[in-house]
Amino acid sequence: MVESYRTEDDLRKAYGERTSLLDEAIKSSVLGLSNLRLSLISLLNQASDKELASAPVPVSLTNSIRDQHAELLRQQQILQSQRADRAALEAEMQDSLRRYRETRQESAAGADAAPATPAPAAPATR
């Protein structure tokens, strides 16, 4: 790992790209969920208007509400999974940073403990 990344910042940048992709996917999912909720609310309002007017709620509207609700639940599961992936990536990055630091310390300690190259012997004088 030390050979692959010269600094901690290089390692963080590598994870940063993956993190950014997950963050964008999460933002997209949150926006999609918001739109699904608004659509479901609209369908539910239509159904309540029918009931308040003592009119039957059309089967197609009932089916649309059921389908929209099922899609909302599915998208919530996807978002939950994305957030779990993001948390796992954060934990993986922290673990990689810890291992990187340990490896750097071991490398530095090994360099300090290496025997010094002996100085060339002085020529003998007569």
Side-chain angles (χ1 to χ4, degrees):
M1 187 179 315
V2 173
E3 290 119 18
S4 298
Y5 304 103
R6 293 179 45 192
T7 65
E8 274 189 35
D9 285 340
D10 292 341
L11 179 61
R12 287 179 189 276
K13 284 178 188 174
Y15 275 95
E17 293 169 11
R18 293 170 56 193
T19 301
S20 292
L21 289 174
L22 279 173
D23 288 344
E24 290 302 315
I26 289 170
K27 284 180 190 176
S28 178
S29 292
V30 167
L31 183 60
L33 276 170
S34 177
N35 289 335
L36 281 170
R37 280 190 186 100
L38 291 174
S39 179
L40 181 57
I41 288 169
S42 176
L43 293 172
L44 290 168
N45 283 335
Q46 290 174 35
S48 74
D49 288 345
K50 293 284 186 187
E51 286 190 348
L52 289 173
S54 298
V57 177
V59 173
S60 61
L61 181 56
T62 303
N63 290 339
S64 293
I65 291 170
R66 185 178 302 112
D67 293 345
Q68 195 77 15
H69 185 254
E71 183 61 19
L72 181 69
L73 294 175
R74 189 178 78 77
Q75 291 297 322
Q76 285 174 334
Q77 289 296 319
I78 290 170
L79 178 59
Q80 184 178 3
S81 175
Q82 289 171 329
R83 287 181 171 155
D85 289 346
R86 175 64 172 84
L89 181 61
E90 182 67 27
E92 180 184 324
M93 183 184 75
Q94 293 304 320
D95 184 55
S96 292
L97 283 170
R98 179 190 54 76
R99 288 184 289 124
Y100 179 85
R101 290 175 187 143
E102 289 172 357
T103 305
R104 290 291 270 196
Q105 288 174 348
E106 290 168 4
S107 295
D112 291 343
T117 307
T125 55
R126 288 188 189 191

